[in-house]
Amino acid sequence: MGELPSSQPQRQFIQVCQYRSCQRFQSDAVLTALKQHAGPELMVAASSCLGQCGSGPTVRVAPDNVWYCRVQPKDIDEILEQHICQGKPVKRLLHPRFHPDYNRLLARLKAQDI
Ligand code: FES
């Protein structure tokens, strides 16, 4: 992944669940991969159970309040480039419980930028 743009309007915070169910599916490797890209504009931290144990590893991006499910280390570059750098969440990884409608999510995020 390239450098995060300095024009990024707000600091992003990514939580990666490190509790039992998510750990069984490589959430530790997801956290390690994300932490390699942490910096002043991107905070990355482990979390306890985020309540989505059946669809882990669970990743949450704030302040966008975007939830990803079944995230694997190979998905990290796509999340960073498409979501964190370009502001467009990765549709195929979105948790359907929180984001049943992709266009509605995009509209909400766009409204947040104003
Ligand atoms: S164990 Fe990860 S969401 Fe519950």
Side-chain angles (χ1 to χ4, degrees), residues 25-98:
F25 296 97
Q26 287 192 289
S27 67
D28 55 338
V30 172
L31 179 63
T32 298
L34 276 166
K35 278 191 166 178
Q36 291 174 2
H37 300 279
E41 300 300 323
L42 179 65
M43 290 175 55
V44 176
S47 81
S48 59
C49 179
L50 292 169
Q52 309 305 318
C53 316
S55 53
T58 303
V59 171
R60 179 176 174 264
V61 179
D64 292 349
N65 198 26
V66 169
W67 293 73
Y68 290 112
C69 60
R70 297 187 176 87
V71 177
Q72 291 298 297
K74 65 179 173 52
D75 302 320
I76 298 310
D77 283 350
E78 193 174 359
I79 290 173
L80 292 171
E81 288 186 19
Q82 193 176 313
H83 184 161
I84 303 303
C85 291
Q86 298 172 26
K88 203 172 167 193
V90 180
K91 187 175 182 179
R92 69 180 179 85
L93 296 171
L94 290 174
H95 197 304
R97 178 178 295 167
F98 297 99

Side-chain angles (χ1 to χ4, degrees), residues 17-22 49-53 56 58:
C17 176
Q18 296 297 297
Y19 200 60
R20 282 182 245 159
S21 295
C22 289
C49 179
L50 292 169
Q52 309 305 318
C53 316
T58 303

